[in-house]
Amino acid sequence: MEILRPKQETGPETRRSADRAAEGDRRRGTWRDFRRAYPGFVFVLGLGLVAMIAVDGWLIAKRVKYNHDVAQLREHMTQAERERSDAIVQSEQNKLRIAIELAKRQALFNKKLHLNVAVDSSRMYLTREGALLREMPVQFGPERSPSESSDRGERTVADLSETKITLDGGTQILSSTSTRLANDSTPIPPGSLRISIEDMKAIMPNLSAGMKVYFY
């Protein structure tokens, strides 16, 4: 005799329970499953982490070497030479502070249209009489020489083109070739800086030779 068994319900509630169980199984996937599903992403992520660690290690090594070299130099100095060296360093730091404050004050009270370059925050501003007209992110090239590491103050626009602003002294404000400045990794000439092509196009009609540019 055939035994009749009750049919299992397959209504909406049953299907929802099954869906939730399947979703729970997917959420409990292991790292191995993720790695198999997205091998390219995992590879790029690993390369990025290795590059970051390598750069950090290089910077730490350079810093340690610098401190070691300074310590060795100071060991061979007399007390008078060490004091004179410290006084020179302090004097240069004071000069830098004075130059920065002077540039900020000049920029604040300049009634004509001008550019301000905030070196520490990597920003450039188009302003007039303290009113901000445009803010732009900036990328900086390496310093031209150690003596110019604190080279801040007032500059003047000497020459213009569609993609480049040349200041007196040779400093250049260049236009990025990439649509996004952050994605542009091409080298920047020493002592120069770079803004996005969008920002360059926006400010170029307002610029002219003789315009002041303040670095602080």
Side-chain angles (χ1 to χ4, degrees), residues 22-49:
E23 183 178 359
D25 291 338
R26 288 195 297 270
R27 289 179 178 176
R28 287 194 296 268
T30 63
W31 167 251
R32 181 180 299 175
D33 296 333
F34 180 83
R35 188 172 55 190
R36 289 175 178 174
Y38 306 99
F41 176 79
V42 173
F43 178 74
V44 173
L45 180 62
L47 283 181
L49 291 174

Side-chain angles (χ1 to χ4, degrees), residues 191-203:
S192 297
L193 52 148
R194 180 166 59 203
I195 61 176
S196 71
I197 188 170
E198 180 183 355
D199 287 329
M200 182 67 80
K201 290 180 178 179
I203 67 173

